[in-house]
């Protein structure tokens, strides 16, 4: 049974006990309390209460060696859903944050304003709307390695435009080739967006120190994420 199914089962049981407990004996009330406790504990875990992500401050991050992950906020929900099911059930069709960045222990991503719990994956850092661009530029400058998931958003285009001076430490992740075409049209003549061959996505590419372009394709499974992460890490 999936976590969703288990939670639904507990919720139905909770509704039944909610009608029975007030008019029943002490034992039924104890059982009602136990069911209620289990329901909220499991719900807390499913929301990410037991994940490994931490909320960090900009001041602390800039004093350490770290990897920066840039993406659209909308990708967080997709990443969590994809990582919950194996490939043979239709999962792993996108780049999965949690499975990739476990090989980069000190990876930071800007968190979505207003979210209650940070998604399971990279550490999160939060900014006010007026501060995020200046803060992201500071992190881009200080990061030892930068990963950016190309998305058709205004903020993503702005981030790509700021990466030109840091060409050799940037890894681009392409989950949809149409998103890449959109980026090329939005940022014409940008050296960081070369003419890629139309290949199977998701993929990532980066520029090696000798100036060569290297393209790595994911195979939609955890083993592929692991192998590609290790290749990039040893470059």
């Amino acid at each position: 049974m999936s976590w969703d199914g288990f939670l639904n089962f507990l919720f139905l049981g909770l509704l039944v006990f909610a009608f029975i407990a007030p008019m029943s004996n002490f034992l039924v009330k104890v059982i009602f309390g136990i069911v209620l406790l289990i329901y909220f504990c499991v719900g807390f875990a499913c929301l990410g209460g037991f994940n490994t992500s931490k909320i960090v401050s900009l001041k602390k991050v800039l004093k350490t060696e770290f990897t920066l992950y840039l993406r659209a906020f909308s990708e967080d929900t997709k990443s969590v859903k994809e990582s919950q099911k194996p490939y043979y059930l239709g999962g792993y069709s996108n780049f999965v944050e949690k499975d990739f960045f476990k090989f980069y222990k000190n990876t930071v991503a800007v968190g979505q304003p207003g979210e209650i719990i940070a998604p399971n994956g990279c550490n999160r850092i939060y900014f006010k709307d007026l501060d995020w661009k200046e803060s992201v530029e500071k992190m881009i400058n200080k990061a030892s390695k930068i990963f950016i998931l190309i998305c058709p958003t205004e903020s993503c285009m702005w981030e790509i435009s700021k990466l030109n001076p840091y060409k050799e430490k940037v890894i681009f992740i392409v989950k949809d080739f149409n998103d890449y075409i959109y980026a090329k049209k939005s940022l014409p003549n940008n050296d960081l967006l070369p003419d890629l061959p139309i290949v199977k996505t998701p993929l990532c590419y980066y520029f090696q120190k000798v100036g060569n372009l290297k393209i790595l394709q994911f195979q939609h499974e955890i083993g592929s994420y692991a192998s590609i992460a290790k290749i990039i890490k040893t470059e």
Side-chain angles (χ1 to χ4, degrees):
M1 181 185 292
S2 67
W3 281 117
D4 289 342
F6 184 57
L7 280 176
N8 289 334
F9 176 77
L10 283 177
F11 182 68
L12 289 174
L14 193 61
L15 288 177
V16 172
F17 277 116
F19 287 101
I20 296 176
M23 61 188 74
S24 302
N25 58 31
F26 178 73
L27 179 60
V28 173
K29 293 179 180 179
V30 170
I31 295 174
F32 172 74
I34 292 172
V35 172
L36 183 65
L37 179 63
I38 292 174
Y39 180 78
F40 282 108
C41 285
V42 174
F44 182 71
C46 290
L47 283 172
F50 302 128
N51 68 31
T52 57
S53 302
K54 295 185 295 184
I55 297 176
V56 294
S57 67
L58 178 63
K59 185 177 180 180
K60 184 177 180 180
V61 167
L62 295 179
K63 290 181 179 180
T64 61
E65 183 176 344
F66 68 97
T67 298
L68 178 60
Y69 173 47
L70 303 170
R71 84 286 173 226
F73 292 140
S74 59
E75 294 302 317
D76 289 353
T77 302
K78 297 176 185 177
S79 178
V80 170
K81 288 183 177 179
E82 290 294 335
S83 61
Q84 286 178 343
K85 55 188 179 181
Y87 178 52
Y88 56 81
L89 292 180
Y92 302 117
S93 60
N94 282 305
F95 174 81
V96 182
E97 176 184 325
K98 176 176 68 66
D99 294 328
F100 190 90
F101 287 111
K102 65 184 177 183
F103 299 98
Y104 298 84
K105 299 301 181 184
N106 192 20
T107 304
V108 179
V110 177
Q112 183 171 2
E115 63 185 2
I116 300 174
I117 299 174
N120 197 359
C122 306
N123 294 334
R124 290 300 195 268
I125 185 168
Y126 294 89
F127 304 119
K128 295 179 181 178
D129 289 343
L130 297 178
D131 298 337
W132 77 272
K133 285 188 176 181
E134 180 182 354
S135 300
V136 168
E137 284 194 77
K138 289 179 181 178
M139 290 194 294
I140 286 173
N141 179 52
K142 292 289 186 179
S144 58
K145 201 175 286 288
I146 301 168
F147 291 83
I148 181 166
L149 176 58
I150 296 180
C151 305
T153 64
E154 183 180 343
S155 59
C156 183
M157 298 305 104
W158 177 84
E159 289 165 344
I160 293 174
S161 70
K162 296 298 178 180
L163 295 175
N164 283 293
Y166 310 98
K167 183 176 181 178
E168 291 187 354
K169 67 176 183 180
V170 183
I171 295 90
F172 291 85
I173 303 162
V174 183
K175 71 176 182 64
D176 188 321
F177 210 80
N178 289 327
D179 294 346
Y180 186 77
I181 294 173
Y182 175 89
K184 280 190 67 65
K185 289 181 178 179
S186 301
L187 301 170
N189 304 318
N190 189 305
D191 292 338
L192 298 179
L193 300 169
D195 292 325
L196 293 180
I198 299 178
V199 293
K200 189 176 181 181
T201 53
L203 62 86
C204 70
Y205 72 88
Y206 56 96
F207 300 91
Q208 297 174 305
K209 291 182 179 179
V210 292
N212 294 330
L213 177 68
K214 186 157 187 176
I215 300 173
L216 298 171
Q217 290 181 257
F218 299 107
Q219 301 303 314
H220 306 301
E221 56 189 20
I222 291 178
S224 174
Y225 291 112
S227 61
I228 288 177
K230 289 179 181 178
I231 289 172
I232 297 172
K233 198 168 186 179
T234 56
E235 282 277 336

